[in-house]
Amino acid sequence: MTTELLPAVPTDLTGPLAELAGELPGAVDPGFAAHEVTDRSRVDAPQGVLAVVRPADVAGVQTVLRWASRHRVPVVPRGAGTGLSGGAIGVAGGIVLSTERLDRVLEIAPADQVARVEPGVLGADLDAALAPLGLRYAPDPASWRTSSIGGNVATNAGGLRCAKYGVTRESVLALDVVLADGSLISTGHRSIKGVTGLDLVGLFTGSEGTLGVVVGITVRLRPRPVDEQTVATWFDSVDAAAEGLLALTAGAARPAVIELLDGPTLADIDAHSGTSLAQGGGALLLVQTDGHGARAEADEVEAALRGAGGRPRRLHGEDAEFHWELRRSGRGPLEDKLAVGEDVAVPLSRIGEFHREITRIGAVHGVSVRAVAHAGDGNFHPLLFADDVAGGAERLEAAADEVVATALRLGGTISGEHGIGTAKQRWLADELTPQVRALQAGIKAVFDPLGLLNPGKAL
Amino acid sequence: MTTELLPAVPTDLTGPLAELAGELPGAVDPGFAAHEVTDRSRVDAPQGVLAVVRPADVAGVQTVLRWASRHRVPVVPRGAGTGLSGGAIGVAGGIVLSTERLDRVLEIAPADQVARVEPGVLGADLDAALAPLGLRYAPDPASWRTSSIGGNVATNAGGLRCAKYGVTRESVLALDVVLADGSLISTGHRSIKGVTGLDLVGLFTGSEGTLGVVVGITVRLRPRPVDEQTVATWFDSVDAAAEGLLALTAGAARPAVIELLDGPTLADIDAHSGTSLAQGGGALLLVQTDGHGARAEADEVEAALRGAGGRPRRLHGEDAEFHWELRRSGRGPLEDKLAVGEDVAVPLSRIGEFHREITRIGAVHGVSVRAVAHAGDGNFHPLLFADDVAGGAERLEAAADEVVATALRLGGTISGEHGIGTAKQRWLADELTPQVRALQAGIKAVFDPLGLLNPGKAL
């Protein structure tokens, strides 16, 4: 946070921005760095962003939005900027509203199994507060150490554990939201259940900042499991691993996590982490069972995967944690490559076919492809990359188009958990009909009639 | 279904209804019985309903809604009529659109862990189709044998197992919906995950037929658990049982079901079922654990509840099933009493306090009160009843007002799982601010600009 170093009211501001700086001393920063108005997608940094505004509290967020409505200034809400779809990227003539200073855990109520947090709280910070109480907030995007819970709500983020515990939506009970006109509403309930009126909590979750700015989040907590067991199973190929997955899901086991890493991913991890995962085979399924039956469930997983031709191995303690960390962040940087990181989902039965298809697509377009998948959800993250040479970007784009079209053709979706942002806009019409998009635009207009909130994103 | 007996086109119809009967031979029934335009709430049967219309397929539903839009006729969608809030009750000058003939299980795809059903399929029918495959649709409202899945979607129905497996929303992946103008849209995805655009599936779920008529439902399936263990624990009082619940939830056990029955409920079941539950104590917690760790988890539950002063007993086989069935349907008819069956939710920590309060409220108003609760969710079903004498209805109503107000005061909600319908309209403004209600009305207008779908309900 750089605001401490700023003069309370920057002296070089004029017009509406000076007015806002006067209302919120220390919060308006026109001298931001480029990385503060982008995210982790490969979308280019925007030009013409007026300022990053970092209100310190809910009233400050309301002040910003009242000001924005008065002066018709677009507002891009932004959490920790770890998004991968360009949803938090600034727009010309607009401000980026950062929630980074709204970073308090407001309440942890173990007896109610709920916590209330401000949107800027990072997943890791909440987890640190919950661990001593034996509690857990289930959603665990791979970015959980660096992404904010407000951002997770904006994208309805998934993660590794959602095969068993669901995505962000399933852990959000209530939201406080500042609307485009600066008014503050509360929606949802502190009880675990509730069906009063239309489900606005669900509507805000995953809306990528287009309907309002979330300023308070009541989340459901769950007990930390008494035991976790990790089964690492190598297969000769992704096809064989996909068959293994079907053998597994045909049984009664219900693992918390089922991750698939293909051969090129294993080779990449080996190259950057000093491991030798690829020696084990052409694909790796990493499975975690948890709870009182973790051991028996892992036994069943091993038996199912062995029966399908896999070579399972039980991992323990630090060795298990090391492998999970490799999955989360063991891949190397792409350095001078052009790359597209995709996020699509397919029905569980189509995982093998989908991987065959993307391999074929890569070969056709002269693009390298490797993939990991939250296989229990059918959620694939193919990574496409090419040398930065003439025609590379075009080949990459053509391959990405085909990858996304393939997911749709197989009955899947163009975004499993990262959201649409700006990066996936060009495929939106392939999944949603004009009528469905018109309904979504109609809903947007109910909440934000001036169209100021994150314009051009998501919808 | 009585349509077989009707002439294809009733001869006594005139005007718009005759036109519809011509378009949908055998589907338009102006000679319906009163129970076909009401539900299981105690809301009075409506006057002036034009007809019950029972289209046989999706195209028929579209025909009905195109006709309704053309002639500005209100349409009340209706599943199996088991609702408890009056959401499916007909309105004067309108038709009731029954989905009972849309009763096909369209597809079961074990490898994808999904099924597609028409809205008129009963929960029990889907379960019968899934059981041989070792699969289960998790939501289990107590009415699961008689309620339709379309109706469950309309109310976002809960049930016993949602403490662990979530409510209906968490098992619905995609919906086909006929909008008020007769057009058909598909929303959602067949993959387990997906975040493309605003979450219309979540918005339709629980919207009580006010936004569209659901004609196709893609649900998520889960494996049937390998083991289930039942622990029945008697306590001296509901207060003691509430303390037991907190001791249980403070641990790592995560039961599938936690049901609370108070002393008067036990006495009522005994009177009608020949049991002697009330001899065990003033309150009963019925807990079910499931999965590979069911036994170990039940051991932990027993230890926690014994430590909190409870008297746990493990139930097996038919004995266990018998007790669960008593919970679902063992209570006696109220016969000549005036009664209100409530459905509110409170935070878990307030369960004991809430029960003390409703007991006090009953005493103040001279109204009998007994209650069961999905205690793992904080979802209470108090039953208030009084003799049908002068002033009885007024005392009942005053007591119900206080019960609902108490749930709100304790941080809860006016409807945990039954929906608002007509029966809970009078409390809606106590939970939702005028601004939130205006947003909901705005969304309603996007989907149903003529206001024809289930007017006067839910919102």
Side-chain angles (χ1 to χ4, degrees):
Chain A
M1 217 174 71
T2 60
T3 49
E4 322 298 338
L5 305 171
L6 293 173
V9 181
T11 50
D12 55 340
L13 290 178
T14 55
L17 219 50
E19 178 188 322
L20 182 61
E23 290 187 66
L24 292 176
V28 179
D29 175 9
F32 55 85
H35 71 85
E36 293 178 288
V37 295
T38 56
D39 63 7
R40 300 273 174 84
S41 70
R42 294 192 159 223
V43 176
D44 290 338
Q47 300 297 311
V49 174
L50 300 179
V52 175
V53 182
R54 304 182 186 89
D57 53 26
V58 174
V61 176
Q62 294 185 266
T63 298
V64 172
L65 285 161
R66 275 193 293 262
W67 168 87
S69 285
R70 212 154 58 227
H71 295 288
R72 305 290 192 268
V73 178
V75 175
V76 176
R78 186 179 194 272
T82 61
L84 293 164
S85 294
I89 289 182
V91 299
I95 62 162
V96 168
L97 194 173
S98 168
T99 59
E100 68 196 273
R101 290 168 76 190
L102 284 86
D103 62 355
R104 292 177 302 159
V105 175
L106 299 169
E107 180 192 5
I108 296 175
D112 288 338
Q113 302 191 323
V114 302
R116 289 192 308 122
V117 301
E118 291 187 324
V121 170
L122 304 185
D125 294 339
L126 178 59
D127 193 65
L130 294 173
L133 304 168
L135 292 167
R136 190 163 84 172
Y137 169 62
D140 65 337
S143 63
W144 70 283
R145 289 204 177 83
T146 53
S147 64
S148 70
I149 295 177
N152 298 164
V153 170
T155 55
N156 191 16
L160 276 62
R161 284 197 288 256
C162 30
K164 181 167 178 178
Y165 295 104
V167 294
T168 298
R169 169 67 192 95
E170 277 133 82
S171 285
V172 175
L173 296 174
L175 294 173
D176 300 320
V177 184
V178 176
L179 299 182
D181 65 2
S183 60
L184 174 68
I185 65 166
S186 294
T187 182
H189 36 81
R190 191 189 172 94
S191 54
I192 303 296
K193 271 203 281 200
V195 291
T196 303
L198 301 176
D199 181 6
L200 299 189
V201 171
L203 193 61
F204 282 116
T205 305
S207 65
E208 301 190 42
T210 61
L211 302 182
V213 179
V214 169
V215 294
I217 306 160
T218 301
V219 298
R220 177 177 187 175
L221 306 177
R222 299 175 198 271
R224 290 180 109 81
V226 291
D227 188 19
E228 291 175 338
Q229 294 285 319
T230 295
V231 179
T233 308
W234 277 263
F235 290 85
D236 289 341
S237 65
V238 169
D239 260 329
E243 288 303 311
L245 175 72
L246 293 180
L248 191 170
T249 54
R254 195 162 162 269
V257 187
I258 310 177
E259 296 290 310
L260 169 67
L261 298 83
D262 72 358
T265 298
L266 297 177
D268 171 60
I269 292 176
D270 287 344
H272 294 93
S273 307
T275 48
S276 51
L277 299 178
Q279 286 181 13
L284 172 61
L285 270 186
L286 265 182
V287 174
Q288 185 182 79
T289 60
D290 70 5
H292 293 73
R295 215 166 276 267
E297 209 166 352
D299 289 344
E300 179 176 329
V301 168
E302 284 197 13
L305 297 182
R306 188 176 290 112
R311 297 176 288 281
R313 193 156 71 79
R314 197 76 66 102
L315 306 182
H316 299 282
E318 283 179 15
D319 189 30
E321 189 38 50
F322 176 68
H323 280 77
W324 287 114
E325 205 48 43
L326 287 177
R327 159 59 190 95
R328 281 194 206 94
S329 49
R331 285 160 295 168
L334 287 161
E335 285 151 4
D336 56 348
K337 301 284 189 188
L338 297 169
V340 173
E342 259 314 319
D343 162 49
V344 297
V346 296
L348 295 184
S349 65
R350 314 309 284 269
I351 285 179
E353 182 177 358
F354 180 75
H355 192 270
R356 281 198 303 279
E357 280 295 290
I358 63 175
T359 305
R360 187 191 60 76
I361 291 165
V364 166
H365 293 280
V367 160
S368 300
V369 177
R370 56 178 188 247
V372 296
H374 306 307
D377 304 315
N379 186 189
F380 254 98
H381 294 313
L383 182 67
L384 292 74
F385 55 101
D387 289 328
D388 190 0
V389 296
E394 289 71 21
R395 285 186 282 117
L396 206 55
E397 198 158 311
D401 282 344
E402 277 195 52
V403 166
V404 171
T406 301
L408 282 177
R409 180 171 57 77
L410 297 181
T413 175
I414 67 171
S415 181
E417 59 180 8
H418 294 170
I420 301 302
T422 53
K424 312 204 83 166
Q425 289 277 334
R426 73 179 197 268
W427 299 303
L428 203 47
D430 298 333
E431 179 162 344
L432 304 182
T433 63
Q435 190 177 14
V436 168
R437 296 187 71 182
L439 290 171
Q440 302 212 353
I443 294 170
K444 160 80 172 171
V446 169
F447 287 82
D448 178 21
L450 300 174
L452 298 178
L453 284 169
N454 220 3
K457 310 288 181 60
L459 305 183
Chain B
M1 215 174 70
T2 59
T3 49
E4 322 299 338
L5 306 172
L6 292 174
V9 180
T11 50
D12 56 340
L13 288 178
T14 55
L17 218 49
E19 178 188 323
L20 182 61
E23 291 187 67
L24 292 177
V28 179
D29 176 10
F32 54 86
H35 71 85
E36 295 177 286
V37 295
T38 57
D39 62 7
R40 300 272 174 82
S41 70
R42 294 193 159 224
V43 176
D44 290 338
Q47 299 299 311
V49 174
L50 300 179
V52 174
V53 181
R54 304 182 186 90
D57 53 25
V58 173
V61 175
Q62 293 184 266
T63 298
V64 173
L65 285 160
R66 276 194 293 262
W67 167 86
S69 284
R70 213 155 56 228
H71 295 287
R72 306 289 193 267
V73 178
V75 175
V76 176
R78 185 177 193 272
T82 61
L84 295 163
S85 293
I89 289 183
V91 300
I95 61 162
V96 168
L97 194 173
S98 169
T99 58
E100 68 195 272
R101 290 170 74 192
L102 284 86
D103 61 355
R104 292 177 302 159
V105 175
L106 299 170
E107 181 193 3
I108 296 175
D112 288 338
Q113 302 193 320
V114 302
R116 289 191 309 122
V117 300
E118 290 188 324
V121 170
L122 304 187
D125 294 338
L126 178 59
D127 193 66
L130 294 173
L133 304 169
L135 291 168
R136 191 164 83 173
Y137 169 62
D140 64 335
S143 63
W144 70 284
R145 288 203 178 82
T146 53
S147 63
S148 70
I149 294 178
N152 298 163
V153 170
T155 55
N156 190 14
L160 276 62
R161 286 198 285 257
C162 31
K164 182 167 179 178
Y165 295 104
V167 294
T168 298
R169 169 67 190 95
E170 276 135 81
S171 284
V172 176
L173 295 174
L175 293 173
D176 300 320
V177 184
V178 176
L179 300 182
D181 64 3
S183 59
L184 174 67
I185 65 166
S186 294
T187 181
H189 36 80
R190 190 189 172 93
S191 54
I192 303 296
K193 271 202 282 200
V195 292
T196 302
L198 300 176
D199 181 8
L200 299 189
V201 172
L203 192 61
F204 281 116
T205 306
S207 65
E208 301 189 42
T210 61
L211 302 183
V213 180
V214 170
V215 293
I217 307 160
T218 302
V219 298
R220 178 178 185 173
L221 306 176
R222 299 175 199 273
R224 290 181 108 81
V226 291
D227 188 21
E228 292 176 338
Q229 295 285 319
T230 296
V231 179
T233 307
W234 277 263
F235 288 86
D236 289 340
S237 66
V238 169
D239 259 329
E243 289 302 313
L245 174 72
L246 293 180
L248 191 171
T249 55
R254 195 164 162 267
V257 187
I258 310 176
E259 296 290 309
L260 169 67
L261 297 84
D262 72 358
T265 297
L266 298 177
D268 172 59
I269 292 176
D270 287 344
H272 294 93
S273 307
T275 48
S276 52
L277 300 178
Q279 287 181 13
L284 171 61
L285 270 187
L286 264 183
V287 175
Q288 185 182 79
T289 60
D290 69 6
H292 294 72
R295 215 166 277 268
E297 209 166 352
D299 289 344
E300 181 176 327
V301 168
E302 284 197 12
L305 297 182
R306 188 176 289 112
R311 297 176 288 281
R313 192 156 71 79
R314 196 78 65 103
L315 306 181
H316 299 282
E318 284 180 15
D319 189 31
E321 191 38 51
F322 176 68
H323 280 77
W324 287 114
E325 205 47 44
L326 288 177
R327 159 59 189 93
R328 283 194 204 92
S329 49
R331 286 160 292 169
L334 287 160
E335 285 151 6
D336 56 348
K337 301 285 189 187
L338 297 170
V340 173
E342 260 312 320
D343 161 49
V344 296
V346 296
L348 296 184
S349 65
R350 315 309 282 269
I351 284 179
E353 182 177 358
F354 179 74
H355 193 269
R356 282 199 303 279
E357 280 295 291
I358 62 175
T359 306
R360 186 190 61 74
I361 291 165
V364 166
H365 291 280
V367 160
S368 300
V369 177
R370 59 178 185 247
V372 295
H374 306 308
D377 305 315
N379 185 190
F380 254 98
H381 294 313
L383 181 69
L384 291 73
F385 55 102
D387 289 329
D388 190 359
V389 296
E394 290 71 19
R395 284 185 283 115
L396 205 55
E397 198 159 309
D401 282 344
E402 277 195 54
V403 165
V404 171
T406 301
L408 282 178
R409 181 171 57 77
L410 297 181
T413 176
I414 67 171
S415 180
E417 60 180 8
H418 293 171
I420 301 302
T422 51
K424 311 204 82 164
Q425 289 278 334
R426 73 179 200 266
W427 299 303
L428 202 48
D430 298 334
E431 179 162 345
L432 305 182
T433 63
Q435 190 177 12
V436 168
R437 296 186 71 181
L439 290 171
Q440 304 211 352
I443 294 170
K444 158 82 170 170
V446 169
F447 287 82
D448 177 21
L450 299 175
L452 298 178
L453 284 169
N454 220 1
K457 311 287 181 60
L459 307 181

